[in-house]
């Protein structure tokens, strides 16, 4: 039984980690960390766990946790994980960091986009970017996994095969992203009130969203060159789900079958990436509550572009689910353990 | 492995049965019946099952099914199950009927409220009303289970202990119910279009909803006398969830502890009924996707009434989940098998 | 041109007063008071007013306002209006208070339910309860109007005629109310975040909501005796709208026409109360954005009760619209001026 | 008083025309045409008009209407208007067609994208494309106005100034559009049921949506050359609102002020187009219920692209409001008559 400590258990991602691990056969949660609710019963914060979780919220004592837990999930704001870890901790336990602290390999880029100094740059090189479908082998041996951002997960998986196969021009990539509101977190802000979000749609972080360099770095690995792209997220009046609509110019005339073959090459054996049938557009409701990413594409012969689409649940594959998938890999478990949830609809 | 046939697999309840059974260890679905989509791939109707279900939709051939399946779920409009079953079928297989055909013991009442002639009145007496928490033992031996309606499940469980213990006056019961829109089914009707339901609330079936006699019958058993009550359902702009707010006059001066003891007496050992802590109101989001019913109450000393509240997922405990719970009981499985889903929020 | 000052212009009710007055021919806003946003452009807080309102937010200087404005709307938390007014101010200007400070005639009741000491009890007697349809004549001559609460407006108008005509037993009244989330205000609270409200329904303030004594007082005037009733509000995942479902025992056997006649007696000539046709249930979407209250009823002969229903827009007839209606009456304008908005749907 | 006949009065656009005209001082509706509801009271179909509209629905007798009405609005499916009009009708009355029949100047393009034969190609040349801000003068003299599509209105207004001024490369335009569900109409389709749309987002009509050639034609006029672009609409779980996020490569290095000046050049004097302040992103809620289009832009120096954004209410400026604006122009009224609605929020 893997002992799991969670730091940041009362955010939406933390809450989702708990939901998944309660149904996971090989893991048990030993620590519900939440600075905001110390000593409060966890099930009083999230009543869905009434009679299912009896524990109280604890502080974020990582030294203690390093002794007690086999793995620590940090579902906390940027900067916290980097400020807490050190060699001693990493020598005793594994860490899956859901924040952005170890996602970018270039410190300067991190500090520029996030506006804070990096507290533990010495671990950046070691950290493995936990996009399981692409970095599976490295994840298996990692002590420190940087769990990918929600938008980068869906964007990268939607675009990766075509870029890797040289079918699209990296200089032409435009990603128009749409996310449910749980991605904005559980902080009490006017902008996220029901009446502000409901019956509304807006873009935000236009040309400045922090997930941009993360996507660019990952896609850069795919094509072997520096990638600059446009990424525009939008806030959608729904709880869960991310939809990516990405555009790029094709490098040559290709058929439906050519492009389909590229997707299949990378995803045919993947448990969690579903390449949909011809002309079926991904919809977030078909993946809700699950760890699936549904991808598909459409060639536009008139403009010479391909439209790439991806849908996933931002709290599962975009956060907690992928974190558990990484844990499974790191501990040599079946990769799908605890994650074969059937999407729930309506 | 229990072989399950589903008639009406493409309604919302049918779809939910499939979701639950795919994660059930002791059952497999051998028949996806759907008159409307014969020969279409089931996963083309519900894309959440893409790569999870390969089967095609079949007709509703109950004779054939009686041979092939250990149990048949009928998630179909009123009248269909009654028109299809006969002694030969019941001698070969078990039936869990999610329609209202066998819920009411009085044929005349059925025919009056549903406006159709009952096609198989000879089986009404045998049929067991599958409200597991109350009729557990009878369900275990049943061939034919009438799976309770969504409103009656939540209403009865919320009110039952107080009525059974004589704490409330049966003549004063008023049930104000609120349901998500999945309860209205997947039929293409203008009234259920997004733009008609969203940003709107209305009562419907006022003083005439068909679940009224079903609730009255069940509560009548609890107090040993005929019950007449008011039941008013409302349509809420959300997908899932039922909330019951019920009112009744207390028969005597009681304390919080007295009433709490009544609920605990009946539900303390129940896996799926959670009596909440003092002053915590049930909310549908805390049970979404799960088989739980959360109940609680508030005494109003000013008026001498008690307000009883219950929340559940109409598609799970209100339909598919309770059906699977009945199946588990009928086949001697662990009652919670396949049903210990953690509620999903947000 | 009536000069209007608004204190609390950046709440949802304040914002709605601005919307209505911008299209009002006889009034102009001279003061956008908002303690939280002093010196910020009003249209920066509510971008709907971009290019329509150029003013900046001001402090809540009531002395100054008394000189400058013909009428002051206070759309502020309980206690503020009472703490600011005095005889000098009332001698110079009129006040329409949207808070609860002057709604209850009994100070002790106010202090018990609101938990604060009343700062200006000397004006309670003078204040007119601004439910225009019932207190029209008194409003015309008032200096200080207590604008009714949202729930009390809809509840009282739905029940008043039957109680006044002696058709229902006051001891049996139960009001089950449902409100859109704008009623909860624009404060940044976790409970009102999109992800907490969406896909959810709950009761709140059960047996303890502050609007209870207000409704009881008003209905008490109708039947000439003290009324105690149950009032249970619910939070609905929609922006606007209140629906009231009220229950009471009939005092005698009555026909549809009898009850209809009672409603017509009081509302036939009213511009803003619409008694719907037989069997049509009020829906909030049919009144959205307008000052209408739609009411109707259903007799249940089985139980001897009548179900009374009312729907209105909580921000219009439940707050800003009724405040403007009161202003029209107080200044001798046409009562409907600026208020004949056609409901907007979908 | 202008006499207005509406053909297709019971669709969402028709319903919105009625709402707007009821508050219009110079127009009265003399004909509520609706083939589906002949002889039914209009207010029975749309209860918001209860006590406001007494008329019954009529057939679509255009000959009769040509005699009786000064202008006919056709809010009907593609093909109907073209099949009904002729020279005699146009000699007697004016027509504002909300369908696509007269929007495209090239018959072949129409027939290819809409898949039907054009029934009245002889009037295509005469028809004026009623995008008031761009074709104001032609509209004033028109007998037949093709009211623009919802997506083309918002897309064209968002992009037009930059293209006209040569600031962007027409070959690089990508439009990612998001629409509320009222754009899908009031037909009873499973895809538009509440439970299918709520908690979901999807793209549709990818690389094949019929509004593509309409946008291309209009933008082609702006830059004087043939334009091919990508247009991808998405269905959003909200009732009203369209948001356009458009991307294009800048033709040269420009400053914020340069681009702002281009927008101001075309829109500074426009009543209904609001160029927002720097860094403010358009949101659909800020224009809901109004005829405004809010536009803004963001330069991305990293990629050399500009992101152009526009938000409007699809039923007002995207349909009924623009139709009334066209009517005002055609009859020499003040262009804003009946249209200066303040956006309603929340």
């Amino acid at each position: 039984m893997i002992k799991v400590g969670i730091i940041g258990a009362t955010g939406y991602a933390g809450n989702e980690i708990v939901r998944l691990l309660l149904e996971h056969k090989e893991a048990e949660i030993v620590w519900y960390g939440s600075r905001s609710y110390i000593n409060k019963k966890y099930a009083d914060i999230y009543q869905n766990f009434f009679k299912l979780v009896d524990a109280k919220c604890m502080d974020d004592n990582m030294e203690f946790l390093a002794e007690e837990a086999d793995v620590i999930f940090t579902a906390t704001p940027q900067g916290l994980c980097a400020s807490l870890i050190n060699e001693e901790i990493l020598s005793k336990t594994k860490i899956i960091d859901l924040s952005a602290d170890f996602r970018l390999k270039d410190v300067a880029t991190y500090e520029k986009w996030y506006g804070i100094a990096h507290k533990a740059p010495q671990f950046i090189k070691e950290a493995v970017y936990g996009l399981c479908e692409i970095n599976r082998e490295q994840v298996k041996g990692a002590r420190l996994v940087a769990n990918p951002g929600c938008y980068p997960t869906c964007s990268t998986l939607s675009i990766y095969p075509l870029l890797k196969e040289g079918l699209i021009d990296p200089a032409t990539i435009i990603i128009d992203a749409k996310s449910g509101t749980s991605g904005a977190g559980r902080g009490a802000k006017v902008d996220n009130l029901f009446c502000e979000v409901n019956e509304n749609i807006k873009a935000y972080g236009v040309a400045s969203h922090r997930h941009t360099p993360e996507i660019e770095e990952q896609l850069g690995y795919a094509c072997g060159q520096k990638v600059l792209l446009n990424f525009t997220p939008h806030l959608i009046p729904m709880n869960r789900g991310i939809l990516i609509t990405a555009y790029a110019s094709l490098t040559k005339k290709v058929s439906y079958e050519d492009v389909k073959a590229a997707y299949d090459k990378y995803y045919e054996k993947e448990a969690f990436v579903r390449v949909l049938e011809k002309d079926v557009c991904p919809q977030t409701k078909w993946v809700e509550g699950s760890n699936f990413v549904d991808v598909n594409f459409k060639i536009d012969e008139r403009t010479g572009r391909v439209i790439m689409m991806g849908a996933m649940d931002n709290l599962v594959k975009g956060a907690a689910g992928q974190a558990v998938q990484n844990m499974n890999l790191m501990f040599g478990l079946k990769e799908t353990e605890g994650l074969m949830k059937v999407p729930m609809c309506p």
Side-chain angles (χ1 to χ4, degrees), chain A:
Chain A
M1 215 58 170
I2 299 165
K3 290 182 178 169
V4 178
I6 304 171
I7 296 184
T10 54
Y12 287 139
N15 154 63
E16 189 73 355
I17 294 172
V18 176
R19 178 175 81 94
L20 295 174
L21 291 184
L22 287 186
E23 301 188 32
H24 192 289
K25 282 181 220 146
E26 311 280 350
E28 64 173 330
I29 303 170
V30 297
W31 189 276
Y32 295 81
S34 172
R35 246 188 221 178
S36 319
Y37 296 102
I38 295 173
N39 272 328
K40 284 212 169 183
K41 284 192 66 173
Y42 187 69
D44 285 349
I45 314 304
Y46 285 105
Q47 296 268 351
N48 46 333
F49 297 118
F50 183 61
K51 296 211 171 173
L52 300 176
V53 174
D54 201 46
K56 287 189 174 171
C57 294
M58 313 286 280
D59 202 350
D60 48 8
N61 186 335
M62 214 181 238
E63 281 73 25
F64 184 79
L65 261 182
E67 303 287 347
E68 205 176 332
D70 299 309
V71 60
I72 301 171
F73 291 85
T74 49
T76 47
Q78 326 304 339
L80 188 75
C81 181
S83 76
L84 293 176
I85 68 165
N86 54 48
E87 181 56 36
E88 199 190 337
I89 287 169
L90 278 175
S91 69
K92 295 180 183 164
T93 190
K94 293 173 190 290
I95 290 184
I96 298 171
D97 178 26
L98 282 82
S99 86
D101 285 358
F102 298 98
R103 293 180 193 156
L104 301 174
K105 288 300 176 200
D106 184 52
V107 185
T109 303
Y110 174 90
E111 298 191 337
K112 178 184 158 204
W113 287 80
Y114 286 89
I116 51 175
H118 202 294
K119 299 282 179 51
Q122 69 274 26
F123 296 113
I124 292 180
K125 197 178 166 204
E126 170 183 353
V128 173
Y129 188 76
L131 190 52
C132 313
E133 285 73 16
I134 291 175
N135 300 326
R136 181 169 288 122
E137 294 312 312
Q138 299 94 302
V139 169
K140 288 179 182 173
R143 297 194 302 178
L144 171 58
V145 163
N147 208 58
C150 52
Y151 288 125
T153 296
C154 200
S155 300
T156 305
L157 290 173
S158 299
I159 298 170
Y160 182 87
L162 300 203
L163 200 54
K164 183 85 176 171
E165 294 299 301
L167 297 179
I168 55 175
D169 175 358
T172 63
I173 298 172
I174 288 171
I175 301 171
D176 194 282
K178 298 91 179 169
S179 175
T181 306
S182 59
R186 213 192 189 200
K189 295 178 189 165
V190 168
D191 278 356
N192 296 332
L193 289 176
F194 181 84
C195 289
E196 305 292 313
V197 173
N198 187 42
E199 286 296 293
N200 191 27
I201 177 170
K202 64 173 176 185
Y204 65 98
V206 181
S208 63
H209 193 279
R210 294 162 169 190
H211 283 171
T212 310
E214 186 179 338
I215 302 170
E216 289 177 343
E217 179 176 331
Q218 296 305 317
L219 293 182
Y221 298 141
C223 64
Q225 65 182 89
K226 190 170 171 54
V227 172
L228 286 183
L229 52 76
N230 275 99
F231 170 71
T232 314
H234 297 78
L235 190 68
I236 304 297
M238 60 183 191
N239 286 352
R240 289 175 178 239
I242 278 183
L243 186 75
I244 294 296
T245 315
Y247 305 84
S249 294
L250 291 159
T251 51
K252 55 182 173 186
K253 199 164 169 56
V254 289
S255 67
Y256 167 80
E257 288 71 22
D258 295 335
V259 179
K260 179 66 160 51
Y263 278 107
D264 285 344
K265 177 174 173 184
Y266 293 93
Y267 299 142
E268 205 163 29
K269 295 178 185 165
E270 289 298 334
F272 296 123
V273 184
R274 305 191 294 191
V275 184
L276 301 183
E277 292 179 354
K278 194 163 192 280
D279 290 333
V280 177
C281 289
Q283 302 188 25
T284 57
K285 75 170 167 173
W286 300 126
V287 294
E288 191 174 334
S290 83
N291 202 47
F292 291 117
V293 183
D294 282 1
V295 297
N296 212 350
F297 66 92
K298 181 88 183 180
I299 296 168
D300 187 351
E301 296 188 353
R302 297 167 66 253
T303 62
R305 295 194 188 99
V306 63
I307 299 101
M308 298 157 282
M309 295 170 278
M312 67 168 202
D313 186 319
N314 58 306
L315 291 179
V316 189
K317 182 64 177 173
Q322 185 146 262
V324 171
Q325 191 180 351
N326 277 310
M327 182 191 78
N328 289 345
L329 288 171
M330 293 161 88
F331 288 86
L333 306 176
K334 200 176 152 191
E335 187 171 341
T336 57
E337 171 54 38
L339 293 172
M340 284 312 293
K341 308 277 176 213
V342 180
M344 187 173 95
C345 86

